[in-house]
């Protein structure tokens, strides 16, 4: 049977107190709506529509280039009204699953089982310890579903019910439409409420059935930042556990954040407060120290990233040592056995095998050979205020401390630069270049003293 999916994501998201539409708030580094769309796609619907409203342009832009079908709900008159914007485009005979755009952790296996339910109207429910804010499932004595009552419309007795409506429903498109057309705004929120179709379906003698989700976290809705944070931690804990099962040593799963995709080898160790974003590849025996932020990077076998290091868009090969307090920026390529120490910044530069910059350096727009030593305080002056220029340093060069290499400039192989030099011209191979003021000794000079008028 053909199955279509409609995702409701037009709501105001008032409780987020944000200029950003709620579906675009990230969970695990990805917009909540993108997570639901992935889940929906996993069950191969014949059609996938997303109802948008608040910040519709922003949502469209965030999903530009995808084949999502957006339907605009111009006025947010409730979940029932939102569904009615998409249903006319559905094949009337199709089963339609309605998903909410703010339920980001719904597992695809739950969706799959739910969609296959035999009934006229199916409702995904769950038992929660604290049902505050959710629609309560009201059942008759024989256990059959009677209705759903929203928190705002519920009596104290009804509020005590801990089985809630997850908002996920399934029915034939034509049935949904017929029921929804009969709903009204006669409730505390003055909206057309999706849950009101329960009574209408029952009134027609339809079979209304519930399916309980495995775990509240799977179907938890996000209405505010407290709930978003709670689900973020659930999501991170689940990821950390999965990685631990794969053999990763994670110092503390409560202080681990992966906001993207992680591919890894064996015996990887990740210390506390490490944030990994985008696409990350860690080879075998990689160690990441505490408080590192790593974005879109690959780190080869045996490399060690020491505490408080920031890496973005970089490729670090095997057996490198980076940090503590290093900043490796986009376009940095560190070949095997490179050592980068504290307060060293590397940008758009390739460093050859075994090259070292152990303290306080800036290497930008440079191509550096193998076994080069960059002294403390040395920098490439790559920017003239308008354009960026290249520095080329060949193999086995020794750059003395506190040198300024004014680009464009080339330092040929096996040469050395004296400490404190400003290098503006090519340094030939196997020479020593010194570019600094000569030391002067002034004899008989008297140190100023307190109270003297000199
Ligand atoms: C809804 C359910 C509630 C359920 C809960 C589960 C209704 C009336 N209530 O409540 O029974 O327990 O979800 O999380 O359905 N939306 C639109 N257009 C609108 C209004 C909402 O597209 O006019 C979208 C929102 O963007 C959101 C979803 O529908 O993604 C749910 O809306 P929300 O206002 O968050 O409903 P809840 O109060 O959470
Ligand atoms: Ca909600």
């Amino acid at each position: 049977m053909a199955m279509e999916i409609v995702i409701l994501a037009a709501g105001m998201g008032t409780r987020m107190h944000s200029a950003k539409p709620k579906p675009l708030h990230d969970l695990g580094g990805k917009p909540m709506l993108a997570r639901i769309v992935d889940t929906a796609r996993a069950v191969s619907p014949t059609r996938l529509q997303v109802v948008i409203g608040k910040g519709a342009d922003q949502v469209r832009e965030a999903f530009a280039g995808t084949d999502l079908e957006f339907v605009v709900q111009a006025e947010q008159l409730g979940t029932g009204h939102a569904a009615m914007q998409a249903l006319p485009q559905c094949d009337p005979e199709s089963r339609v699953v309605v998903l909410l755009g703010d339920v980001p952790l719904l597992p695809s296996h739950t969706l799959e089982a739910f969609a296959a339910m035999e009934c006229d109207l199916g409702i995904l429910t769950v038992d929660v310890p604290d049902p505050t804010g959710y629609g309560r499932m009201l059942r008759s004595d024989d256990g059959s579903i009677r209705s759903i009552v929203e928190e705002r419309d519920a009596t104290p007795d009804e509020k005590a019910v801990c089985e809630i409506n997850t908002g996920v429903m399934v029915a034939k498109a034509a049935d949904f439409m017929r029921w929804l057309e009969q709903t009204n705004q006669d409730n505390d929120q003055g909206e057309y409420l999706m849950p009101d179709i329960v009574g209408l379906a029952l009134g027609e003698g339809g079979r209304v059935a519930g399916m309980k989700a495995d775990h509240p976290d799977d179907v938890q809705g996000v209405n505010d930042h407290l709930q978003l944070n709670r689900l973020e931690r659930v999501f991170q804990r689940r990821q950390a556990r999965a990685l631990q099962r794969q053999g990763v040593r994670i110092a503390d799963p409560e202080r681990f954040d992966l906001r993207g995709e992680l591919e890894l080898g064996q015996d990887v160790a990740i210390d506390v407060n490490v944030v990994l974003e985008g696409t990350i590849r860690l080879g075998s025996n990689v160690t990441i120290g505490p408080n590192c932020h790593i974005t879109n990077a690959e780190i080869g076998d045996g490399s060690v990233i020491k505490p408080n290091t920031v890496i973005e868009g970089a490729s670090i090969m095997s057996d490198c040592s980076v940090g503590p307090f290093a900043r490796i920026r986009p376009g940095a390529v560190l070949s095997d056995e490179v050592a980068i120490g504290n307060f060293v910044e590397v940008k758009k530069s390739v460093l050859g095998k075994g090259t070292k910059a152990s303290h306080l350096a800036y290497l930008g727009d440079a191509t550096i050979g193998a076994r080069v030593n960059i002294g403390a305080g040395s920098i490439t002056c790559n920017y003239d205020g308008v354009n960026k220029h290249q520095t080329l340093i060949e193999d086995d060069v020794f750059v003395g401390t506190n040198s300024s290499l004014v680009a464009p400039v080339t330092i040929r192989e096996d040469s050395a630069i004296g400490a404190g030099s400003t290098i503006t011209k090519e340094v030939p191979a196997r020479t020593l270049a010194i570019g600094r003021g000569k030391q002067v000794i002034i004899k008989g000079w008297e140190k100023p003293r307190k109270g003297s008028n000199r």
Side-chain angles (χ1 to χ4, degrees):
M1 200 197 314
M3 196 250 291
E4 305 190 25
I5 291 181
V6 171
I7 302 174
L8 309 184
M12 303 297 286
T14 317
R15 292 163 278 186
M16 295 299 287
H17 297 285
S18 170
K20 184 155 70 175
K22 184 161 72 173
L24 294 186
H25 283 267
D26 282 351
L27 190 143
K30 201 167 168 174
M32 283 198 274
L33 181 57
R35 296 207 169 269
I36 299 149
V37 166
D38 287 351
T39 303
R41 285 197 206 278
V43 302
S44 314
T46 51
R47 164 176 248 149
L48 174 56
Q49 297 182 71
V50 183
V51 182
I52 53 175
K54 190 210 175 193
D57 291 343
Q58 276 169 272
V59 179
R60 274 184 212 279
E61 202 179 301
F63 289 85
T66 66
D67 59 354
L68 275 187
E69 265 183 67
F70 289 109
V71 184
V72 174
Q73 182 195 22
E75 251 189 302
Q76 279 72 60
L77 300 178
T79 48
H81 180 259
M84 276 195 280
Q85 311 307 304
L87 288 163
Q89 285 82 253
C90 296
D91 174 351
E93 291 305 309
S94 284
R95 295 277 283 179
V96 177
V97 178
V98 174
L99 301 178
L100 303 188
D102 63 352
V103 179
L105 297 187
L106 180 70
S108 52
H109 66 86
T110 302
L111 174 55
E112 195 149 28
F114 176 72
M117 262 176 83
E118 297 225 357
C119 56
D120 295 305
L121 172 61
I123 300 161
L124 185 65
T125 76
V126 73
D127 292 321
V128 293
D130 176 13
T132 309
Y134 295 102
R136 313 296 205 280
M137 299 303 302
L138 304 184
R139 290 178 183 264
S140 306
D141 292 340
D142 65 359
S144 61
I145 293 171
R146 193 156 40 92
S147 66
I148 300 171
V149 62
E150 290 303 298
E151 165 105 14
R152 294 164 68 164
D153 303 306
T155 66
D157 272 0
E158 290 167 343
K159 280 188 183 153
V161 172
C162 287
E163 185 189 5
I164 62 148
N165 167 33
T166 66
V168 178
M169 297 194 185
V170 63
K172 209 167 75 175
D175 292 341
F176 263 140
M177 204 58 198
R178 191 177 61 258
W179 299 325
L180 284 168
E181 277 167 349
Q182 299 169 60
T183 59
N184 58 48
Q185 292 163 285
D186 189 12
N187 50 61
D188 187 59
Q189 40 271 73
E191 292 182 347
Y192 297 94
L193 307 179
M194 195 72 191
D196 284 355
I197 63 175
V198 172
L200 296 156
L202 288 172
E204 285 183 2
R207 281 170 305 156
V208 178
M211 184 184 120
K212 278 192 188 174
D214 300 338
H215 197 281
D217 295 338
D218 291 349
V219 288
Q220 191 87 44
V222 171
N223 295 321
D224 56 28
H225 276 286
L226 276 78
Q227 288 169 328
L228 180 56
N229 167 258
R230 219 189 65 78
L231 278 199
E232 177 76 33
R233 294 329 303 165
V234 166
F235 179 78
Q236 293 300 348
R237 214 173 291 131
R238 286 179 178 180
Q239 287 193 131
R241 290 217 181 108
L243 289 166
Q244 287 174 314
R245 280 189 206 102
Q246 275 180 59
V248 182
R249 179 178 179 135
I250 295 180
D252 183 359
E254 301 298 321
R255 287 180 288 169
F256 169 80
D257 287 86
L258 168 59
R259 302 174 191 153
E261 309 299 325
L262 175 61
E263 218 185 278
L264 33 70
Q266 265 190 323
D267 294 306
V268 168
I270 300 174
D271 215 321
V272 298
N273 296 329
V274 169
V275 178
L276 304 173
E277 288 190 90
T279 306
I280 310 268
R281 283 197 6 228
L282 304 179
S284 292
N285 296 302
V286 166
T287 299
I288 315 279
N291 308 319
C292 290
H293 186 186
I294 304 177
T295 311
N296 295 321
E298 55 175 329
I299 299 174
D301 295 351
S303 285
V304 177
I305 311 300
K306 296 181 180 169
N308 301 295
T309 290
V310 178
I311 298 171
E312 184 187 356
S315 177
I316 295 169
M317 314 273 175
S318 300
D319 301 312
C320 292
S321 167
V322 180
F325 296 99
R327 180 162 183 222
I328 313 298
R329 294 173 51 196
V333 177
L334 311 187
S335 306
D336 294 351
E337 294 165 35
V338 162
I340 298 293
N342 42 219
F343 308 109
V344 173
E345 175 178 346
V346 182
K347 184 217 77 169
K348 260 196 197 165
S349 294
V350 178
L351 277 61
K353 186 174 176 186
T355 283
K356 290 185 168 63
S358 299
H359 340 259
L360 304 146
Y362 171 62
L363 302 170
D365 303 298
T367 303
I368 303 175
R371 299 170 302 278
V372 170
N373 186 87
I374 306 288
S378 291
I379 66 163
T380 52
C381 309
N382 60 328
Y383 187 51
D384 59 14
V386 182
N387 296 304
K388 299 274 167 68
H389 301 283
Q390 298 289 320
T391 300
L392 171 65
I393 304 177
E394 294 184 348
D395 294 348
D396 300 298
V397 166
F398 178 91
V399 178
T401 52
N402 213 30
S403 295
S404 303
L405 310 178
V406 182
V409 70
T410 297
I411 321 291
R412 294 292 177 200
E413 64 176 320
D414 216 5
S415 59
I417 292 170
S421 291
T422 298
I423 299 297
T424 54
K425 291 197 275 289
E426 176 165 331
V427 176
R430 288 168 288 278
T431 59
L432 168 66
I434 301 171
R436 62 180 178 227
K438 281 221 169 71
Q439 183 170 327
V440 177
I441 303 285
I442 298 168
K443 287 185 182 158
W445 175 78
E446 267 179 44
K447 253 188 180 169
R449 282 193 194 90
K450 264 224 157 88
S452 81
N453 264 341
R454 276 183 352 123

